Amino acid sequence: PDNSDVNWSYYATYPVLEAAEGETGNYDGINEAIRNAALIYKASFREHDGGANTYGYVTYMDEETLSVVFQHSLYESYGMRPSLDALNFEVKTGRRITPEEMTELDETLAMRFRAQDQTQNGGVTFVQDLSDEELLAYLQDPEQAVAFYTPVGLEVGFNYETGWVTVTLKEKAL
């Protein structure tokens, strides 16, 4: 860095899909989307006092579906600001799967999210302080909401000012 008093760093790790021997799959489009999501802070990491890190990992993959999650850590003067993003794909076509295709983003989801948050997370204060309408708005916000598959079920959640929260909808397992 130009200023020796500044200690910026940038680190990103992410999965890369490759066709197995004898397989004809072309994963270029999926790999490009994964790379772009993992490197989202590459151009701007110096805007954060201590830089940024991103860890991307596969949470679910079978012959039809792939989910990749990205945990971002942005280092600010007041501490680390975490966020979570996810990409979901149809493996054969490379088409992105949207959260709306994974579950209904409606009042029932907000109600179930609140109940599952209490059971699974002990009731995150931020979630408990939201009205039902505010909670639904977070779950529907394409900039803040996150959804991805795991072996246990569908994980849904959102980013907020000081972190992120998700819950598992077990009946949505693939």
Side-chain angles (χ1 to χ4, degrees), residues 17 25-34 61 63-66 87-98 101:
L17 276 68
N26 182 344
Y27 302 119
D28 292 346
I30 292 174
N31 284 331
E32 180 179 356
I34 290 170
M61 184 173 184
E63 293 176 358
E64 297 176 9
T65 307
L66 169 68
L87 296 176
N88 303 283
F89 300 95
E90 289 181 353
V91 174
K92 291 179 182 169
T93 65
R95 187 182 76 79
R96 295 265 307 266
I97 303 170
T98 66
E101 294 175 86

Side-chain angles (χ1 to χ4, degrees), residues 48-50 75-79:
H48 306 282
D49 295 328
Y75 296 95
E76 309 293 357
S77 60
Y78 56 83

